[in-house]
Amino acid sequence: DIDDVGHKYYLELELEDVLDKDRTVNCTAEVLYHLGSKNSAPDVQVTVQGELRSTEEADKEFYNWIRSLEKELVAENIPDSHGNVPPELEPIHLLAWVASGYVIWQNSTENTKFHLAQVKHVKQVKRSDEDLQFDFVVLLHEMVSQEVLPWQVTLLWHPQRGARVSQS
Amino acid sequence: LQVDLWQPSSPIHIVEGAVADVRVPQNTTRSLLPYLQQANIQYTILISDLQQAIENQTGGRSHRNRRSLSGYNYEVYHSLEEIEDWMHYLNRTYSDLVHMFSVGKSYEGRPLYVLKLGKRSRPYKKAVWIDCGIHAREWIGPAFCQWFVKEALQTYQTDPDMRKMLTQLYFYIMPVFNVDGYHFSWTNDRFWRKTRSKNMRFHCHGVDANRNWKVKWCDEGASLHPCDDTYCGPFPESEPEVKAVAHFLRKHRKQIKAYLSFHAYAQMLLYPYSYKYATIPNFNCVESAAYNAVNALQSAYGVRYRYGPASSTLYVSSGSSMDWAYKNGIPYAFAFELRDTGHFGFLLPEMLIKPTCTETMLAVKNITLHLLKKCH
């Protein structure tokens, strides 16, 4: 407890690579929830202790594939009702997770627990610069209220520059 | 006498000396074969059981096959209609072990089916109640209920534990509690949770069937707003589904020794209380049952479940079926939150149905055998 400021949490986390289950990496984090936290996102500082797996090749492959599409990519319901994701859309699914992470961070309090329930809709938007742009509608499930609500979020991504959220 | 002509393609091509293949229903063979013999027509039986041959061929991959225990695909999610057909089939085919009945009707008028499983070995037997799908979108629940029944029927003769369970106990299995909601999650909104009752004043439908029971009703962890997903309803047991099951459990409260309710997702095994932070009187028995069950579950694939009182392990909620069952005198009341922990959430892929159900079976068998050892 920090008087007049809020609650600070010190965390030791173990990250597991979803795509390589035996691979884990430790990290530490400090999270500060502000008093009256309805209006502001918590402050987060993270330190990763170790290296994350390089995804350079897969990134390039995905990037080139999207750039080569004649029509902008559009997809819905990832995963579908039965939990299936077409293999070529798996990278979109992963990017949606990143985008959701931003929305979750912005909307988290000490009394919420969010998960990405489904990518309802994704539309690629062609850009004049080198970034890929994906406009997502993601469904987030909040554990305490049990609500599943849609959120709009636009993600920009580039193999070297990484992911950035444009607006939400 | 009518036959289904498989070869040649038309009766015009049937000539003396040519081969004809016909398919007949089983009871027709009794008249066909003597007829052929009398007419001096040579015949050979190519396939003696066509149904079996088809099942052998399509068994594992068949999507909507509901004709037999081994033909039904337990590794895909099934619609309400398919589940009901399956129950009817089992009721007809395994009448020595299965009895299907209804405890009432849903808001939209659908029957609320329950399967009573067990050998009719003695007049009075204790029972275990299992329900799945209180919340519509938690599809792995009903999938597990179906799996449990399949395992019971398939292994009862070869597995001593299962034989003991079905001989000494009855199991009441309700594969889909919230039938209206489940149907709605297939046709309209995959993430629907509540029932489908209409609200008088608001445009929103449905009540959270796990907040509608008469135990500290609508206190903490439930909402009075009809549009919320944890809406407790206008009054306790307002939902016909809840009222019907409560009525059944009340009537059989002396017989039923365990109440198990299956939900998703969180990977937890919970016991009372949900509505308050307090220790239950038979904590030692229940806690050790949970501890052993979770270890049994983990032994399958290493999947870890948390366990403990619902209020401190998951969250505080009031009006839950588990708390109500416990209050009504059922000594072991558990709620399972099955896989996963948020990666797929409600959209658990079909290929994870088998491992999820396999490990959960171990937990359920463990709890049942613990129950038979009398620690209430």
Side-chain angles (χ1 to χ4, degrees), chain B residues 305-347:
Chain B
Y305 267 53
R306 305 226 310 265
Y307 68 98
S311 52
S312 51
T313 313
L314 183 59
Y315 45 54
V316 169
S317 69
S318 53
S320 74
S321 68
M322 176 183 74
D323 281 354
W324 182 90
Y326 188 75
K327 192 185 87 167
N328 243 252
I330 297 173
Y332 288 96
F334 289 103
F336 277 80
E337 290 280 353
L338 300 177
R339 290 201 202 180
D340 59 10
T341 53
H343 186 96
F344 286 103
F346 300 118
L347 305 183

Side-chain angles (χ1 to χ4, degrees), chain A residues 18 78-85 93 97 113 115-118 139 141-148, chain B residues 64 77 137 139 186 190-191 193 211 227-230 265-266 314-315 341-344 346-350:
Chain A
V18 166
I78 304 168
D80 68 15
S81 284
H82 296 235
N84 303 308
V85 179
H93 193 197
W97 248 308
K113 188 163 151 73
H115 290 117
L116 170 62
Q118 188 186 49
L139 294 177
H141 170 229
E142 201 286 296
M143 202 54 94
V144 179
S145 65
Q146 286 296 329
E147 302 292 335
V148 172
Chain B
R64 302 287 167 221
Y77 295 114
R137 59 194 179 199
W139 286 13
W186 271 75
R190 177 61 178 85
F191 294 105
R193 168 183 167 89
R211 302 286 186 279
C227 294
D228 284 352
D229 259 329
T230 55
Y265 55 91
L314 183 59
Y315 45 54
T341 53
H343 186 96
F344 286 103
F346 300 118
L347 305 183
L348 195 70
E350 287 173 319

Side-chain angles (χ1 to χ4, degrees), chain B residues 163-308:
Chain B
R163 190 165 54 241
K164 189 174 180 181
M165 284 161 57
L166 292 179
T167 308
Q168 298 193 17
L169 298 163
Y170 279 121
F171 286 83
Y172 294 110
I173 317 280
M174 190 172 191
V176 186
F177 182 105
N178 180 4
V179 288
D180 297 347
Y182 187 74
H183 182 258
F184 193 75
S185 73
W186 271 75
T187 57
N188 287 70
D189 180 356
R190 177 61 178 85
F191 294 105
W192 190 257
R193 168 183 167 89
K194 301 187 285 183
T195 60
R196 288 296 300 164
S197 52
K198 290 196 190 53
N199 183 264
M200 293 301 112
R201 280 148 56 229
F202 290 80
H203 284 310
C204 301
H205 290 237
V207 167
D208 186 337
N210 210 27
R211 302 286 186 279
N212 190 239
W213 298 73
K214 197 168 173 185
V215 56
K216 210 74 157 61
W217 175 78
C218 223
D219 199 61
E220 234 191 292
S223 171
L224 275 162
H225 198 290
C227 294
D228 284 352
D229 259 329
T230 55
Y231 176 47
C232 54
F235 53 86
E237 296 183 21
S238 62
E239 302 313 281
E241 301 84 354
V242 172
K243 184 170 180 177
V245 172
H247 177 83
F248 180 86
L249 293 176
R250 236 178 257 124
K251 204 165 78 177
H252 294 85
R253 59 139 75 86
K254 293 230 166 70
Q255 184 197 25
I256 296 174
K257 294 299 170 194
Y259 172 86
L260 271 54
S261 191
F262 287 87
H263 295 257
Y265 55 91
Q267 286 174 206
M268 291 177 181
L269 175 52
L270 306 168
Y271 50 82
Y273 300 105
S274 312
Y275 70 86
K276 64 177 174 179
Y277 297 109
T279 310
I280 46 177
N282 63 342
F283 172 78
N284 286 324
C285 291
V286 171
E287 202 272 351
S288 69
Y291 171 76
N292 289 320
V294 156
N295 281 338
L297 188 151
Q298 190 177 345
S299 73
Y301 306 100
V303 171
R304 283 202 278 226
Y305 267 53
R306 305 226 310 265
Y307 68 98

Side-chain angles (χ1 to χ4, degrees), chain A residues 55-143:
Chain A
T55 54
E56 214 179 294
E57 224 177 275
D59 288 350
K60 213 189 299 185
E61 216 176 284
F62 172 69
Y63 183 77
N64 290 334
W65 173 55
I66 297 286
R67 294 274 279 193
S68 73
L69 295 174
E70 264 179 44
K71 268 178 55 181
E72 285 93 339
L73 180 138
V74 171
E76 300 193 312
N77 297 337
I78 304 168
D80 68 15
S81 284
H82 296 235
N84 303 308
V85 179
E88 66 274 11
L89 291 183
E90 189 55 37
I92 302 283
H93 193 197
L94 297 171
L95 286 178
W97 248 308
V98 177
S100 304
Y102 176 83
V103 177
I104 291 171
W105 166 41
Q106 292 295 304
N107 290 280
S108 286
T109 69
E110 285 158 287
N111 298 307
T112 60
K113 188 163 151 73
F114 287 99
H115 290 117
L116 170 62
Q118 188 186 49
V119 182
K120 192 73 200 149
H121 189 85
V122 58
K123 185 182 73 186
Q124 181 206 353
V125 175
K126 282 211 170 137
R127 294 174 65 88
S128 50
D129 62 23
E130 305 234 306
D131 284 337
L132 298 184
Q133 177 179 335
F134 297 100
D135 290 355
F136 288 105
V137 173
V138 291
L139 294 177
L140 298 184
H141 170 229
E142 201 286 296
M143 202 54 94

